[in-house]
Amino acid sequence: MMKFTINRDTFIKTLNDVSRAIATKTTIPILTGLKLDLTADQLTMTGSDADISIEASIPVTQDTAALQIAEPGSIVLPSRFFTEIVKRLPEKEMTITVTDTQQAVITSGQSEFTINGQISDEYPLLPEIAADHSLQLPADVLREVIAQTVIAVSTQDSRPILTGVHIVIHDGALLAVATDTHRLSQRVVRLDGAGDADYDINIPGRSLTELARTIPDTVATIDVRIAENQVLFRLGDTAFFSRLLEGNYPDTQRLLPTEHTTALTVAADAFQAAIERASLLSHESRNNVVRLVLTPEANTAVLSSTSPDVGTVQEEIAFKTLTGDTLDISFNPDYMKDALRVVGPSDVTMAFTSALRPFTIEPAEATSQFIQLITPIRTF
Amino acid sequence: MMKFTINRDTFIKTLNDVSRAIATKTTIPILTGLKLDLTADQLTMTGSDADISIEASIPVTQDTAALQIAEPGSIVLPSRFFTEIVKRLPEKEMTITVTDTQQAVITSGQSEFTINGQISDEYPLLPEIAADHSLQLPADVLREVIAQTVIAVSTQDSRPILTGVHIVIHDGALLAVATDTHRLSQRVVRLDGAGDADYDINIPGRSLTELARTIPDTVATIDVRIAENQVLFRLGDTAFFSRLLEGNYPDTQRLLPTEHTTALTVAADAFQAAIERASLLSHESRNNVVRLVLTPEANTAVLSSTSPDVGTVQEEIAFKTLTGDTLDISFNPDYMKDALRVVGPSDVTMAFTSALRPFTIEPAEATSQFIQLITPIRTF
């Protein structure tokens, strides 16, 4: 007979965080549910889709929660439906009472819902991750590294390892890299105080995307614990678990070109706008390519695209610098859009070797330790 | 060789208005296009899906347009694609030049698009509506009447006449009524200065919904002209045409009850919130009904709903007044939600005769001339 009363806004906030992990479709039906665990001093909510699990607690000491615990206990409730009810209740507070037959009675003001739950013993246990090896990461750095690498993660299941971001922690630095074989994105950050931590893991891209959404603005440092096949990110009162991908990530270092013959530096936002215009036409044609013709001798860079049905677009790009050999190269504008978006509004340098070899995209400030690679498309 | 230069923001604003009428799927391919007509003193854009047509003009005298006419002419351009281009152009102004081969060259800054158009002679002509009979309607009244009646329009094609709003103008008053046979909504407004205007027409509900979206906040009075099978609403520089539905609208006056045995007055917003909570459960069950049990003797009004799979909800309604006989009635909560939404935040009175007879919903102020009807659902 679990029973508690709580401030609805506080409850909803935590519920929203946990809901990110809750499965909508799953082969394990109980994972579509939200698990509530009430002890003498806190309420814990858990959501999971087997790949990602989120556990968040509201302590009885938290003033805004106004948590009154009448009797500890636990239950699993149908999450989508329970969430809709909680959001529409009339009063500031609500009370949840669980009966012996696993029914939850939710009351607020004159409103009373009775919904069928499931016994919490049937809910899978979260992995235990030893506390002895942990690593601290600044939240903003983690968010940036995730944003810059997940764009290049593969969405195809044919090579599962490529659906993850490869993360190597070694010698006081973190290297994150992802590639779907058409493009690659790699970011390196110094880790002050990482000590002799030494890890080589592959985290599913989807887990990292959800993690980035879950990190609250109020959390400055994230505690990371890595086990055999799981990683745990601790964000204040929230624990975010993800399974790791098994297997060895391919060697990506050999893919990075060491020299170039043509280089173009442009303002990322202006070039982005031109790419978006050109992609209006490329999206109307079968092969979705834009063409960039660089003529350093004539001091021109011309972007163009053609759709036989609809028409053509051509635009002279205003650049900062253009050096090296003449080049005529074609590529997928959507890859370029993603790449420019995560570079941000700074200047960006693209370095090319030939029309058929991958080219690099880097922020013009050489110290960024952020490099992207796009494979061109053969059009002849 | 039509050619003009124009301020892009002004052009986009008018383009957005006209685009509302442009067909996305149509049996007449040219109607997926936008027609541009340039004369010596204005640019006119036309969009149409055969049911609705919108024509809007930008005069050369309009300062914000900065319209420079180099050569009059006309063309039909692929609207979706053209709109995307115009919205992404780099500069404040753009120039459109049409070649002899019906190609439009769109330039702005260094960006140059060439797209294939069609000769405007192939575009259907808009209906001619004589100017001798016209009617003035305040824009806010028209918007309100539309919002209050289109909710009850039928979405089924089995009785086409019911997909329209029946509008009768007679004796200096406008009556608008719609019913899908499950519910009915009727609004009457006085028309000062309607003179001896006498009309009985059926306007498609979809036309009225689009019309309400098209009326700009800056327009106070709308000029209405009614012809045999068309109606024209003139909103400033924009002309909105709709075809009329053929046939006789059924007699709805006999459906309105003249007496009642139970009456309930509640605050519309509080009752709306309770209905939304109850509908969470009704939506999970097969027949989507909520139950309202009124017991004037005990001074209680109880709303409830049950889904065998998920659970139950029950709520005591705080009411203003409750009089008459005991009543136990069930109805579709979605119809009630729509009805309460268009009543607004005022108090609302529901009047009932029996569990199987339609009941009325009216603003508590008796002078509103706005009445809605919902048919209950038999659950026994």
Side-chain angles (χ1 to χ4, degrees):
Chain A
M1 279 287 291
M2 156 176 153
K3 182 173 181 181
F4 67 94
T5 297
I6 196 164
N7 173 281
R8 213 157 51 83
D9 284 346
T10 306
F11 186 87
I12 289 170
K13 205 167 157 299
T14 304
L15 178 58
N16 284 342
D17 282 344
V18 171
S19 295
R20 284 215 179 79
I22 297 180
T24 45
K25 292 172 198 167
T26 173
T27 49
I28 312 170
I30 200 165
L31 290 185
T32 61
L34 167 81
K35 186 176 160 204
L36 295 177
D37 278 301
L38 186 65
T39 64
D41 48 43
Q42 66 179 7
L43 172 69
T44 301
M45 299 192 219
T46 307
S48 176
D49 67 0
D51 282 354
I52 301 171
S53 303
I54 302 179
E55 187 182 89
S57 297
I58 301 174
V60 74
T61 51
Q62 184 182 323
D63 283 351
T64 54
L67 176 59
Q68 300 162 46
I69 298 168
E71 198 177 334
S74 65
I75 182 103
V76 177
L77 297 175
S79 76
R80 184 183 58 79
F81 187 59
F82 174 68
T83 303
E84 284 180 6
I85 289 173
V86 170
K87 287 187 178 164
R88 282 179 183 77
L89 289 174
E91 300 295 333
K92 230 175 60 182
E93 297 208 322
M94 66 170 190
T95 298
I96 297 183
T97 312
V98 175
T99 69
D100 294 340
T101 57
Q102 309 299 325
Q103 284 199 310
V105 181
I106 308 152
T107 55
S108 181
Q110 294 302 310
S111 195
E112 179 180 308
F113 284 85
T114 305
I115 64 172
N116 303 324
Q118 283 173 276
I119 192 160
S120 67
D121 297 355
E122 289 165 15
Y123 197 89
L125 289 176
L126 293 190
E128 302 269 343
I129 294 187
D132 47 341
H133 290 299
S134 99
L135 200 70
Q136 268 66 45
L137 286 184
D140 51 353
V141 169
L142 183 59
R143 246 195 236 103
E144 192 177 88
V145 169
I146 292 173
Q148 290 175 336
T149 52
V150 290
I151 55 160
V153 156
S154 170
T155 53
Q156 311 285 322
D157 285 332
S158 52
R159 285 180 70 186
I161 193 81
L162 297 188
T163 63
V165 175
H166 183 209
I167 292 178
V168 180
I169 295 167
H170 183 68
D171 260 357
L174 180 151
L175 179 147
V177 63
T179 180
D180 61 5
T181 73
H182 304 293
R183 52 182 162 172
L184 175 149
S185 185
Q186 174 183 297
R187 175 70 195 276
V188 176
V189 288
R190 296 265 85 205
L191 281 193
D192 298 328
D196 55 356
D198 207 327
Y199 293 102
D200 185 320
I201 58 175
N202 301 297
I203 307 180
R206 200 180 66 80
S207 298
L208 291 173
T209 302
E210 289 302 336
L211 172 63
R213 288 184 188 139
T214 307
I215 301 174
D217 290 338
T218 49
V219 166
T221 306
I222 292 168
D223 180 78
V224 187
R225 288 168 201 194
I226 299 167
E228 188 63 41
N229 51 13
Q230 287 282 336
V231 56
L232 163 61
F233 298 89
R234 190 163 278 288
L235 338 156
D237 286 327
T238 303
F240 185 105
F241 297 81
S242 169
R243 77 176 169 98
L244 298 178
L245 293 169
E246 285 173 42
N248 292 315
Y249 204 86
D251 175 18
T252 51
Q253 295 315 303
R254 65 178 176 78
L255 301 175
L256 300 174
T258 51
E259 49 190 16
H260 66 268
T261 52
T262 308
L264 173 70
T265 298
V266 292
D269 47 4
F271 192 57
Q272 179 77 295
I275 289 284
E276 274 171 14
R277 284 189 287 273
S279 70
L280 289 177
L281 272 148
S282 71
H283 288 166
E284 299 293 319
S285 77
R286 210 156 28 86
N287 53 1
N288 192 24
V289 295
V290 297
R291 180 179 176 189
L292 182 63
V293 177
L294 302 174
T295 318
E297 228 168 54
N299 225 23
T300 62
V302 177
L303 187 69
S304 64
S305 187
T306 297
S307 155
D309 295 341
V310 186
T312 62
V313 57
Q314 175 160 321
E315 182 158 348
E316 243 188 69
I317 303 297
F319 51 79
K320 301 291 168 81
T321 62
L322 172 60
T323 57
D325 301 342
T326 294
L327 184 79
D328 183 341
I329 194 168
S330 295
F331 54 86
N332 181 323
D334 298 334
Y335 294 165
M336 182 60 86
K337 272 194 252 184
D338 287 344
L340 294 170
R341 185 169 44 79
V342 294
V343 165
S346 63
D347 286 351
V348 70
T349 298
M350 287 166 268
F352 307 85
T353 43
S354 87
L356 295 177
R357 298 281 298 280
F359 59 94
T360 60
I361 302 158
E362 292 180 87
E365 319 156 49
T367 56
S368 63
Q369 306 236 58
F370 177 37
I371 186 165
Q372 297 182 79
L373 214 62
I374 292 179
T375 302
I377 294 170
R378 180 198 284 265
T379 56
F380 50 88
Chain B
M1 279 287 293
M2 157 175 153
K3 181 172 181 181
F4 65 95
T5 297
I6 196 165
N7 174 281
R8 211 157 53 84
D9 284 345
T10 306
F11 186 87
I12 290 171
K13 204 168 158 299
T14 304
L15 178 59
N16 285 342
D17 282 344
V18 171
S19 293
R20 284 215 177 78
I22 296 180
T24 45
K25 291 171 199 169
T26 174
T27 48
I28 312 169
I30 201 166
L31 290 186
T32 61
L34 166 82
K35 187 177 159 203
L36 295 177
D37 278 301
L38 186 66
T39 63
D41 49 42
Q42 67 178 6
L43 172 69
T44 301
M45 299 191 218
T46 308
S48 176
D49 67 359
D51 283 354
I52 301 172
S53 303
I54 302 179
E55 187 182 270
S57 296
I58 301 174
V60 74
T61 51
Q62 185 182 323
D63 283 350
T64 56
L67 176 59
Q68 300 163 49
I69 299 169
E71 197 176 335
S74 65
I75 183 107
V76 177
L77 296 175
S79 75
R80 185 184 58 80
F81 188 60
F82 174 67
T83 303
E84 285 180 5
I85 289 173
V86 171
K87 287 187 176 162
R88 282 180 183 77
L89 290 174
E91 301 294 334
K92 232 176 59 181
E93 298 208 321
M94 65 170 189
T95 298
I96 297 183
T97 312
V98 174
T99 68
D100 293 341
T101 56
Q102 310 300 324
Q103 284 198 311
V105 181
I106 308 150
T107 55
S108 181
Q110 292 304 308
S111 194
E112 178 179 308
F113 285 84
T114 305
I115 63 173
N116 304 324
Q118 283 174 275
I119 193 161
S120 67
D121 296 357
E122 290 166 13
Y123 197 89
L125 288 176
L126 293 189
E128 302 268 344
I129 296 189
D132 47 341
H133 290 300
S134 99
L135 202 69
Q136 267 67 43
L137 286 183
D140 51 352
V141 170
L142 182 60
R143 246 194 237 105
E144 192 176 88
V145 169
I146 291 173
Q148 290 174 338
T149 51
V150 289
I151 55 160
V153 156
S154 171
T155 53
Q156 311 286 321
D157 285 332
S158 52
R159 287 181 69 186
I161 193 82
L162 297 188
T163 63
V165 174
H166 183 208
I167 291 177
V168 180
I169 295 166
H170 183 69
D171 260 357
L174 178 150
L175 179 146
V177 63
T179 179
D180 60 7
T181 73
H182 305 293
R183 52 180 162 174
L184 175 149
S185 185
Q186 175 183 295
R187 177 70 196 275
V188 177
V189 288
R190 297 263 88 208
L191 280 191
D192 297 328
D196 56 357
D198 207 328
Y199 293 103
D200 185 322
I201 59 174
N202 301 298
I203 306 181
R206 201 180 67 80
S207 298
L208 291 174
T209 301
E210 290 300 336
L211 172 64
R213 290 184 186 138
T214 308
I215 301 173
D217 290 337
T218 49
V219 167
T221 306
I222 291 167
D223 181 77
V224 188
R225 287 167 202 194
I226 299 167
E228 188 63 43
N229 52 14
Q230 286 281 337
V231 56
L232 162 61
F233 298 88
R234 190 164 278 288
L235 338 156
D237 284 328
T238 303
F240 185 106
F241 296 81
S242 170
R243 76 176 170 99
L244 298 177
L245 292 169
E246 284 173 44
N248 292 316
Y249 204 86
D251 175 18
T252 52
Q253 296 313 302
R254 63 177 177 79
L255 301 174
L256 301 175
T258 51
E259 48 190 17
H260 66 267
T261 52
T262 308
L264 172 70
T265 299
V266 292
D269 47 5
F271 192 57
Q272 178 76 298
I275 290 283
E276 274 172 13
R277 283 189 287 275
S279 70
L280 289 177
L281 271 147
S282 70
H283 288 165
E284 299 293 319
S285 76
R286 210 155 28 88
N287 52 3
N288 192 23
V289 295
V290 297
R291 180 180 176 189
L292 182 62
V293 176
L294 303 174
T295 318
E297 229 167 54
N299 225 23
T300 61
V302 177
L303 187 71
S304 63
S305 186
T306 296
S307 155
D309 296 339
V310 186
T312 62
V313 57
Q314 174 159 323
E315 181 157 351
E316 244 187 68
I317 303 297
F319 52 78
K320 300 290 168 80
T321 62
L322 172 61
T323 57
D325 300 342
T326 292
L327 184 81
D328 182 342
I329 193 168
S330 295
F331 53 87
N332 181 324
D334 299 334
Y335 294 166
M336 182 59 85
K337 272 194 253 184
D338 286 345
L340 293 171
R341 184 169 44 80
V342 295
V343 165
S346 64
D347 286 351
V348 70
T349 298
M350 287 165 269
F352 308 85
T353 43
S354 88
L356 294 177
R357 299 281 297 281
F359 60 94
T360 59
I361 302 157
E362 291 180 89
E365 321 157 47
T367 55
S368 65
Q369 304 235 59
F370 177 38
I371 186 165
Q372 298 182 80
L373 214 62
I374 291 180
T375 303
I377 294 170
R378 179 198 284 264
T379 56
F380 49 88

